[in-house]
Structures are given as C-alpha cells and as structure tokens.
Amino acid sequence: MSDIRKVGVLGGGLMGSGIAQVSAAAGFPTVVREVSEQLCAKSRQSIEKSLAKSVERGKTTEAEREAALKNLRFVTALDDLSDSDLFIEAVVEDLEVKNKVWAELNGIAKTEAIFASNTSSLTIIAMAAASGRPDRMLGLHFFNPVPAMKLVEVVRTITTSEETERRAFQFVQALGKEPIRAKDSSGFVVNLLLIPYMLDAINALESNVASVEDIDKGMQLGAGHPMGPFTLLDFVGLDTAYKISEIMFTEYRDKRYAPPPLLKRMVLAGMLGKKSGKGFYDYSVNPPRVSSLGL
Ligand SMILES: NC(=O)c1ccc[n+]([C@@H]2O[C@H](COP(=O)([O-])OP(=O)(O)OC[C@H]3O[C@@H](n4cnc5c(N)ncnc54)[C@H](O)[C@@H]3O)[C@@H](O)[C@H]2O)c1
C-alpha cells in the first residue's frame, strides 16, 4: 500500500504527460505544472489522445478514462502543487533548470514530501543539495512510452533514506509498474547496458560487418529482440542517444560509451530518427527504407 496521496508532476512534455497519465489512472490526484497555458493545453491533449486510444484498444474502459481525467489538473503556478506528497520532475535535461525547480519546490513543499527526478543521464546526487532534502530525494526513471512500458528504475543516492526508497518503491507498484533498484551511477541499469549495445551496432555498420537491415534482422531473429538496434536508435532519437553516450563517456572514461563519429555526423545533419522523419531509416516513405549514409 502506498502512503502517497497526491502527486505533482513538473513538466508536461513527452515523459511528464505519460507519468501524469499513469498516476491519474492509478487513482492519484495529479497536478501537472508547465511553463505556459499553451503547454498545459498541449499536455492535456496528449493525455486525452492517449487515453482515447487505450479505450479504442480495449485496455481502458470509458469509466476508467473519465476517472483518470477527473484526477488531472494542469497549472502554471508552482504554488498549486504545494500539497503533493510526491513530486516527479520531468523538465528538460538541464541540471541548472532542474535545480532551480528543486530549490523553488523546497520552499513550498511539505517537509515529508519526496522529490523524484526522471533524468536519464544526470546523477541524482547533483540535485540533492538544491532539493534541500537529500534524504528524501531519489530518481524514478520511467521509460518511453510511459503508459506502455512496465519498468521504473528506483534510483537511490548515497544520501537517500531507506524509508524514501521504500515509499517510492510502493508508489511505483501502485501504478501497476515493475520497480527495480539501482544505484545512482550514470546510465543506471538499462542505459548502462543498452547504450554500448546500440553504439556497437553503429561501429559494426561502419566496419562493414553487415547492412542496417541485416544487423536489425540479426538481433530480432537471432536474439529475440522486438526491434533491431537501428530501429531502436531511430525511436529513441539519435540526439538523445548521442547526448547520453557523451555523458556516460565523460563519467566512465571508457571507450565502450564513446559516441561513434557516424552518430555525431547524423545528429549534425539533423537525422535524428523518427522524430525528424529520417535517421537510419527514411520515414517519408511507407514502409520506411534504409537511408543512404554514403558508407
Ligand atoms: N524522452 C525519453 O525517452 C526519456 C526517457 C526517460 C527519461 N527522460 C527524461 O525525462 C525528462 C523530460 O524529457 P522529455 O523527453 O519529456 O522532454 P520534453 O522536452 O518533451 O519535455 C520537457 C518539458 O518540460 C517543460 N519545462 C521546462 N522547464 C520547466 C519548469 N521550470 N517547470 C515545468 N516545466 C518545465 C518544457 O516546457 C517541456 O514541455 C528529461 O530529464 C529526460 O532525460 C526522457
């Protein structure tokens, strides 16, 4: 049983909207804070669309959809979140912006409230000081798309209390998700293993081991992965993969995490994957075909 009653979500972008949706659907009154009315409306629309799709697919009933929407509020004023028991931060991946949010929140939040960051690549401890509550600060790392992905990494720092970790763990279970425990080291569990795997695929392509399609097919049919590494890279976003690998490389100084030159060239060329219409595959045609990379 979770002792969390109310949830505040900072940032209503891709991840924040998903997190707010699952929180509201699990019965938690949830307030989303965005920086403008327009972005509040955008977050609401994306949640409404996602819930409608879920009803269409028979995964959510009409009554559950309505109940979830009733649990949601979208605000621009931070003060409207002051009675939250748990704050989940999903603002842009920028330490300065995040720490500004934590410092402001610390001024209005209840003493016992937990602060959780959804960061993918920053260390949680780098935010603990600004939060003013290092024992009640941890990471809750959700995966995209949040409503569909079962896993949440519960990340403890060297200062997180056992009580905080336990409360966060129970909250994740109350969402119907599967929590795993991870230490506050760059990449946590999943990216620590996934990033070198995706980078290896690019290195294999540059070494002419096989084509994009054959490497994807190899890992799908030979290792049972639902999608190959290039399809996955296009889905994650090449800029995101590049940024995470750079941060991990800086942290570990290990060439396993070094972004290959081809990845950097593609980011510079604006080939960011699905979101830009072109990455390792060209999505302007149906079905997508392999992009020409001049290899
Ligand atoms: N995209 C992913 O696959 C993924 C997966 C796991 C974790 N994350 C992490 O989640 C976080 C958010 O990523 P995203 O992909 O949702 O980004 P996004 O750009 O879609 O959303 C970020 C939102 O934060 C808002 N914002 C900025 N400053 C704010 C503030 N002070 N208060 C409230 N809102 C503010 C922006 O207006 C924007 O809508 C990042 O830390 C990222 O590393 C992303």
Side-chain angles (χ1 to χ4, degrees), residues 86-103:
L86 169 68
F87 292 87
I88 305 176
E89 169 276 311
V91 308
V92 283
E93 189 75 336
D94 180 317
L95 187 59
E96 238 176 85
V97 176
K98 289 186 191 284
N99 276 342
K100 197 164 166 269
V101 169
W102 291 130

Side-chain angles (χ1 to χ4, degrees), residues 158-223:
I158 51 171
T159 58
T160 308
S161 71
E162 268 179 36
E163 165 79 354
T164 301
E165 193 191 37
R166 186 189 56 75
R167 292 176 70 202
F169 212 80
Q170 284 177 345
F171 169 75
V172 171
Q173 286 170 326
L175 295 182
K177 303 274 183 210
E178 288 291 339
I180 59 169
R181 290 188 177 86
K183 253 197 341 193
D184 182 28
S185 54
S186 198
F188 312 135
V189 173
V190 173
N191 282 337
L192 185 76
L193 302 182
L194 189 60
I195 291 287
Y197 158 70
M198 294 196 295
L199 300 182
D200 272 349
I202 301 174
N203 288 324
L205 178 69
E206 282 198 283
S207 309
N208 281 319
V209 170
S211 66
V212 165
E213 276 162 314
D214 282 352
I215 294 173
D216 266 359
K217 200 185 273 182
M219 292 313 291
Q220 268 188 289
L221 304 183

Side-chain angles (χ1 to χ4, degrees), residues 1-5 7 22-28 86 142 150 152 166-179:
M1 248 311 264
S2 174
D3 64 348
I4 305 294
R5 293 283 164 268
V7 177
V22 296
S23 170
F28 296 97
L86 169 68
F142 291 78
K150 275 275 176 205
V152 180
R166 186 189 56 75
R167 292 176 70 202
F169 212 80
Q170 284 177 345
F171 169 75
V172 171
Q173 286 170 326
L175 295 182
K177 303 274 183 210
E178 288 291 339

Side-chain angles (χ1 to χ4, degrees), residues 248-259:
M248 291 177 73
F249 181 63
T250 307
E251 169 114 345
Y252 298 116
R253 311 277 165 156
D254 182 330
K255 68 175 190 310
R256 272 187 301 167
Y257 307 106

Side-chain angles (χ1 to χ4, degrees), residues 78-79 82 101-110 115 130-131 133:
L78 212 56
D79 277 344
S82 61
V101 169
W102 291 130
E104 284 171 5
L105 272 181
N106 190 38
I108 60 149
K110 292 191 281 194
F115 286 5
S131 78
R133 52 187 76 208

Side-chain angles (χ1 to χ4, degrees), residues 10-16 33-35 39 89-93 97-98 101 117-121 141-144 236 240:
L10 289 312
L14 183 68
M15 296 303 290
R33 193 267 181 135
E34 253 299 346
V35 289
L39 287 168
E89 169 276 311
V91 308
V92 283
E93 189 75 336
V97 176
K98 289 186 191 284
V101 169
S117 175
N118 182 50
T119 181
S120 293
S121 54
H141 188 223
F142 291 78
F143 290 79
N144 177 38
V236 168
T240 305

